[in-house]
Amino acid sequence: MVNDGKAAPIIHAALKRLEYRGYDSVGEATVYDGRLLIKKDQGKIDDVHKRLDLDDLPGKMGIGHTRWATHGAPSMVNSHPHTDCSNKIAVVHNGIIENFNDLKDELTDKGHVFVSRTDTEVIPHLIEENMKSGLNFVESVRDSVKRLSGSYALVAIHVDEPNKIVFARNASPLVVGISETGLYASSDIPTLLPLTKKIIEVYNGEMVILSEKGVEIRRIEDWSPIKRESSIITWTVEMAQKQGFPHFMLKEIHEQPKCLEDTLRLQQRYIDLLTTFLDRSKEIYLLACGTSYHSCLAASYMFSNLCNLPTLPVIASEFIEQYGEAVNIDSTILAVSQSGETADVLHAIEQARFKAATILGLTNAIGSTLTRVSRAYICQQSGPEIGVAASKTFTSQLMVLSQIALRLAKVRGKISQEKIDYLEEKMKDIPNMVDKIILNQEKKVKGIVEKYKNTKCFYFLGRGINTATAFEGRLKLLEISYIPSIAYPAGESKHGAISLVEKGFPVIFVCPQDGTRKALIGNIMEMKARGASIITIIDENDKEIKALSDEYVDIPSDVPELLSPIPYVVPLQLFAYYMAVEKGCNPDMPRNLAKSVTVL
Ligand code: M6R
């Protein structure tokens, strides 16, 4: 909502910044001259803009949406905004309305006509129905929202209220931005940064009314007013842009040394707080999805080795089935989520809270739902990550988790002072080491990509803590270059997956100089005996394994085993990135994926 000029170009530019959240269709609506004007279609924002000119809509107030399909395939009719029968109300929505089928039946019986297959469309019809019963627009939105089950950050406008936008939030992120020139709201903070740095967070169960009077926040349940101070966001717009790199992912891979340094600073009192909670627990569940799960898997080796504490890494979507009954008042859940909004993580946490477990969080998004449901949380401090494929997330999370594991080890007196001193010293070297790897090995990795660009499948193997590195390397490659790939703990591979290996089949080994090395050499020999091409990520001084490798990428020597996933994953990130580019795929926007998966 702007004081002067048109809202549409501002919405269009904001949607571009939000595109990483979803990009199968896009739409905008404005109110002008007593009419609701809508442009929307299937496709990425740039393509739709070329066809429809999204900037062309008149009006000082409007809403927009970039979609990642949940209900109803990507298509023009399923694109947001959605409208009511009279075409007076428009709504955009992020999340899922679980009871939409029941509501749709009820509204259809009352004569409402639906045009899309989305869950969202029930919302404008519900508002319309409530208005028929005499409520005003805002009251109708409130009563409609009360009938919704599921997750939503939703926005509604009405032609007869050309100076009002109404928002509601439950379990999907929503923030408001305030500036001299207008009022804004979005699903994330970076979207608003070029417009304003003055932000107000909106919490679950709240509604926001933006109007000429300013920002009004109310609790949906009892309509009580909420006073909340704005805060100033220190992220710069530049931080959220590509800074000259062709893709966000490459920029984010290159940012890792800086992020790791940031992660080493300023964490101490939060690390202490988390450690206090962890020390009290009988068992720790490390809960996450995707890359964050791989961080948890690596961290479970750190916690078990350093602290002698049973630590279970769990894929969040499996948590309830696997441990829902076992979790109890003595359990601690350390939930790890870059976005802090991953629905599988939040859903699992709900169950754990119900069983009185202690919830702790590690996230990149302060103000996210995870930070609000956690007893204590810590920030991974890596700044906005826009590429859908997580890169700096993995290394920053591991740097935080290793500091927590080390602090806990100290508190519990489980390792010697000498080992603590050694690990603390080595931690400080890691940012510089990652910098060197990027500087010295990027070209080499590109060369390996060139050689293997037509390969149909890759096999990633690691042992011990670097099983997690192998899993992460596999995830990176397959999610952005669409090359089906497999990853195993190297010792397990001979129990089945080795049957895939034939002459020239590429096997990528993660091989630090550590306790797993001897066994790993055995695994390399097994693969070589079957004709595999051996690619190793290897200690620069390891001549023996180099001699067994067809290709290798050097990692500086003397990395402690428990910190090794941080430098050793970097060549695998670069490998995935360059392979995606080589194959003509956009690494920042892999098909079918969204940066933050806010549905179950
Ligand atoms: O925001 P989160 O860390 O909770 O996200 C978890 C996963 O969705 C995420 O890591 C995903 O797997 C990425 N695409 C991996 O690159």
Side-chain angles (χ1 to χ4, degrees):
M1 175 181 280
V2 289
N3 305 336
D4 296 305
K6 288 201 301 185
I10 294 172
I11 297 169
H12 171 203
L15 289 175
K16 275 300 289 174
R17 295 188 286 279
L18 201 58
E19 202 174 12
Y20 72 92
R21 287 288 192 99
Y23 32 78
D24 63 45
S25 32
V26 61
E28 286 181 4
T30 59
V31 171
Y32 183 71
D33 209 12
R35 282 178 308 143
L36 187 62
L37 306 169
I38 295 184
K39 290 195 179 198
K40 64 177 190 175
D41 206 353
Q42 180 187 351
K44 289 193 175 151
I45 296 175
D46 287 349
D47 299 335
V48 174
H49 179 55
K50 261 186 219 146
R51 290 199 296 275
L52 302 181
D53 190 354
L54 293 168
D55 296 344
D56 188 39
L57 290 173
K60 291 199 284 184
M61 181 267 271
I63 58 179
H65 187 264
T66 177
R67 180 169 187 251
W68 182 60
T70 56
H71 292 64
S75 69
M76 200 275 279
V77 280
N78 286 336
S79 312
H80 299 215
H82 291 284
T83 55
D84 65 325
C85 297
S86 63
N87 221 27
K88 287 187 155 193
I89 300 163
V91 170
V92 300
H93 157 232
N94 173 30
I96 288 184
I97 307 303
E98 285 163 5
N99 58 339
F100 86 101
N101 267 326
D102 292 346
L103 291 169
K104 197 168 177 176
D105 288 348
E106 179 189 317
L107 289 159
T108 306
D109 286 348
K110 288 182 175 155
H112 290 261
V113 178
F114 287 81
V115 294
S116 80
R117 299 184 69 84
T118 65
D119 50 342
T120 304
E121 199 186 352
V122 296
I123 305 168
H125 289 280
L126 258 183
I127 299 170
E128 180 184 29
E129 191 60 27
N130 279 322
M131 288 187 81
K132 274 190 206 158
S133 71
L135 299 177
N136 67 31
F137 175 50
V138 174
E139 291 164 345
S140 300
V141 176
R142 179 198 62 202
D143 283 15
S144 302
V145 162
K146 281 186 177 175
R147 298 214 46 209
L148 304 177
S149 334
S151 59
Y152 48 82
L154 67 85
V155 192
I157 54 175
H158 193 291
V159 277
D160 297 337
E161 300 268 15
N163 296 313
K164 206 169 266 175
I165 310 186
V166 185
F167 299 83
R169 172 189 166 143
N170 184 50
S172 288
L174 182 64
V175 286
V176 170
I178 304 165
S179 85
E180 297 287 304
T181 51
L183 295 173
Y184 314 95
S186 168
S187 289
D188 77 7
I189 292 172
T191 308
L192 298 179
L193 287 179
L195 301 165
T196 181
K197 296 199 183 315
K198 201 170 171 187
I199 300 292
I200 301 181
E201 285 169 28
V202 183
Y203 297 164
N204 287 341
E206 292 179 353
M207 252 172 76
V208 180
I209 301 124
L210 300 185
S211 70
E212 284 160 330
K213 289 188 215 149
V215 182
E216 181 184 348
I217 307 178
R218 297 225 171 223
R219 195 165 289 116
I220 296 166
E221 195 49 46
D222 56 7
W223 210 233
S224 54
I226 293 168
K227 271 202 169 354
R228 186 166 302 135
E229 291 301 314
S230 58
S231 49
I232 302 295
I233 297 299
T234 51
W235 291 355
T236 60
V237 175
E238 217 181 75
M239 276 169 81
Q241 291 173 342
K242 288 187 203 156
Q243 290 169 354
F245 287 94
H247 296 100
F248 282 111
M249 185 181 176
L250 190 60
K251 169 185 158 271
E252 286 155 6
I253 291 172
H254 277 253
E255 268 171 2
Q256 290 177 110
K258 158 92 176 53
C259 296
L260 290 166
E261 264 177 16
D262 289 347
T263 309
L264 282 172
R265 286 191 206 114
L266 304 173
Q267 303 268 338
Q268 302 316 317
R269 66 197 166 102
Y270 301 107
I271 288 174
D272 283 343
L273 184 58
L274 263 73
T275 304
T276 308
F277 282 113
L278 290 169
D279 190 33
R280 282 192 208 153
S281 43
K282 290 239 167 66
E283 78 261 321
I284 302 171
Y285 295 94
L286 299 172
L287 195 79
C289 305
T291 289
S292 298
Y293 168 72
H294 296 149
S295 301
C296 290
L297 182 59
S300 68
Y301 289 80
M302 298 174 186
F303 281 87
S304 301
N305 274 280
L306 297 174
C307 318
N308 282 4
L309 193 61
T311 311
L312 302 164
V314 196
I315 292 175
S317 56
E318 288 297 310
F319 178 78
I320 294 176
E321 299 300 327
Q322 209 173 354
Y323 297 112
E325 287 308 313
V327 68
N328 60 55
I329 197 165
D330 295 320
S331 315
T332 295
I333 310 294
L334 175 51
V336 179
S337 170
Q338 188 279 134
S339 60
E341 300 292 350
T342 298
D344 286 320
V345 173
L346 299 177
H347 186 55
I349 285 175
E350 245 173 65
Q351 168 78 5
R353 285 175 79 184
F354 178 68
K355 296 295 222 72
T358 302
I359 312 297
L360 306 176
L362 164 58
T363 181
N364 198 25
I366 301 302
S368 63
T369 307
L370 178 57
T371 61
R372 286 201 291 279
V373 297
S374 298
R375 190 88 185 268
Y377 62 83
I378 193 162
C379 182
Q380 70 186 55
Q381 268 168 315
S382 43
E385 188 179 62
I386 307 294
V388 166
S391 52
K392 57 183 181 170
T393 280
F394 184 71
T395 47
S396 294
Q397 286 174 345
L398 280 184
M399 196 58 130
V400 177
L401 290 164
S402 56
Q403 290 177 78
I404 297 172
L406 201 54
R407 185 67 52 88
L408 189 57
K410 264 190 204 174
V411 170
R412 293 168 65 86
K414 295 293 180 191
I415 56 171
S416 67
Q417 182 64 46
E418 203 187 344
K419 188 161 182 192
I420 291 170
D421 291 346
Y422 170 71
L423 286 171
E424 279 181 348
E425 270 316 298
K426 285 288 158 196
M427 245 176 216
K428 293 186 202 148
D429 295 343
I430 298 282
N432 195 24
M433 188 178 282
V434 169
D435 200 26
K436 269 196 197 149
I437 294 167
I438 296 171
L439 196 70
N440 300 333
Q441 304 299 320
E442 189 164 2
K443 210 165 153 204
K444 189 154 191 194
V445 173
K446 270 189 193 174
I448 299 176
V449 166
E450 179 58 32
K451 192 164 168 195
Y452 290 86
K453 65 184 177 195
N454 295 320
T455 300
K456 297 278 178 281
C457 176
F458 285 87
Y459 199 174
F460 290 80
L461 294 176
R463 269 184 177 263
I465 193 168
N466 282 297
T467 299
T469 317
F471 283 179
E472 178 59 8
R474 184 269 314 254
L475 174 61
K476 286 291 86 77
L477 184 69
L478 72 81
E479 73 176 326
I480 61 174
S481 68
Y482 317 138
I483 299 177
S485 301
I486 43 178
Y488 265 88
E492 179 66 10
S493 65
K494 59 185 175 296
H495 296 286
I498 198 169
S499 67
L500 288 171
V501 177
E502 55 186 1
K503 194 166 174 4
F505 187 94
V507 186
I508 301 179
F509 280 92
V510 185
C511 317
Q513 286 260 23
D514 62 20
T516 67
R517 184 175 168 278
K518 265 206 175 134
L520 211 56
I521 291 179
N523 299 128
I524 293 175
M525 298 310 288
E526 285 159 15
M527 294 297 166
K528 274 186 89 68
R530 286 156 182 86
S533 295
I534 308 294
I535 304 169
T536 52
I537 316 298
I538 193 172
D539 185 302
E540 59 190 359
N541 292 326
D542 195 333
K543 294 202 180 83
E544 187 183 354
I545 296 188
K546 279 187 186 176
L548 299 174
S549 309
D550 295 277
E551 324 288 337
Y552 61 83
V553 180
D554 278 326
I555 302 294
S557 265
D558 203 15
V559 191
E561 184 169 345
L562 292 178
L563 299 175
S564 59
I566 304 177
Y568 277 75
V569 80
V570 175
L572 300 179
Q573 297 169 337
L574 288 166
F575 181 70
Y577 171 78
Y578 283 110
M579 189 61 89
V581 172
E582 180 64 48
K583 296 187 102 51
C585 309
N586 179 350
D588 285 343
M589 284 188 193
R591 68 187 178 209
N592 304 334
L593 287 174
K595 181 66 182 165
S596 176
V597 184
T598 53
V599 293
L600 290 179

